[in-house]
């Protein structure tokens, strides 16, 4: 039974100081852990934003765009079956609640943003806004 408990290092070295900062500062509650991991790639004409959201259904994910800020929110609720078995857990690490992150999308063509969700990965294509090139005009002389 005790073999199922995660191993924790108590012998910190210089490099572990940064890795363990958040755990030590906020404690083991996990309430302040990052919402979800995100990768952003430059694919030439557009950016690709990939978010790890394993265990979520597409219906649980919400994308909002307002004033140049893209907010990705996902909500996981505890099922009745989980609540009934709550007293039987030895250790519980899965989190329930709302997870969200916001991104500044300045320089993005907001009307062309597309999203797809497959195998726990939310992928957004963010097309780069085309720079407005001022027209050259010839002025007639009177």
């Amino acid at each position: 039974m005790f073999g199922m408990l995660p191993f924790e290092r108590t012998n910190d070295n210089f490099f572990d100081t940064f890795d363990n900062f958040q755990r030590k500062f906020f404690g083991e509650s996990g309430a302040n852990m990052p919402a979800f991991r995100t990768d952003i790639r430059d694919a030439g004409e557009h950016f690709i934003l990939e978010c790890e959201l394993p265990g979520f259904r597409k219906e649980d994910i919400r994308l909002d765009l307002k004033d140049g800020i893209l907010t990705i929110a996902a909500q996981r609720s505890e099922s009745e079956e989980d609540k009934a078995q709550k007293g039987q857990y030895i250790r519980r690490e899965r989190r329930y609640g709302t997870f969200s992150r916001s991104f500044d999308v300045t320089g993005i063509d907001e009307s062309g943003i597309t999203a797809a969700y497959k195998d726990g990965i939310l992928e957004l294509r963010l097309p780069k806004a085309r720079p407005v090139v001022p027209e050259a005009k010839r002025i007639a002389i009177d």
Side-chain angles (χ1 to χ4, degrees):
M1 178 168 102
F2 293 105
M4 293 174 50
L5 298 177
F7 173 75
E8 288 189 32
R9 270 190 247 180
T10 57
N11 194 8
D12 290 336
N13 63 36
F14 177 74
F15 297 104
D16 288 336
T17 302
F18 297 108
D19 294 334
N20 296 328
F21 172 76
Q22 185 171 358
R23 179 176 53 84
K24 288 180 180 178
F25 185 77
F26 293 112
E28 290 291 327
S29 69
N32 295 304
M33 294 184 71
F36 45 84
R37 297 178 192 268
T38 303
D39 295 332
I40 303 172
R41 293 185 283 135
D42 187 345
E45 295 291 315
H46 59 275
F47 294 104
I48 298 175
L49 187 141
E50 296 173 317
C51 302
E52 285 183 352
L53 294 166
F56 287 97
R57 297 175 313 180
K58 185 169 71 169
E59 298 80 27
D60 297 335
I61 302 169
R62 192 179 75 237
L63 304 173
D64 295 315
L65 186 60
K66 182 179 178 184
D67 298 329
I69 302 294
L70 171 68
T71 302
I72 303 169
Q75 183 172 358
R76 180 178 294 152
S77 57
E78 189 173 20
S79 69
E80 290 299 319
E81 181 179 318
D82 291 338
K83 288 180 185 176
Q85 296 178 1
K86 200 170 207 169
Q88 299 174 6
Y89 287 103
I90 297 169
R91 181 172 176 99
R92 190 158 189 191
E93 294 181 346
R94 291 183 293 153
R95 301 288 182 230
Y96 296 94
T98 301
F99 307 91
S100 69
R101 290 194 62 184
S102 296
F103 300 91
D104 180 10
V105 291
T106 306
I108 300 296
D109 176 13
E110 294 180 3
S111 64
I113 296 175
T114 59
Y117 183 67
K118 183 178 177 187
D119 297 331
I121 303 292
L122 174 67
E123 180 180 294
L124 284 94
R125 290 184 172 269
L126 308 164
K128 295 177 183 177
R130 303 228 186 264
V132 178
V133 179
E135 282 187 32
K137 294 182 181 181
R138 181 165 284 173
I139 301 172
I141 302 174
D142 291 333

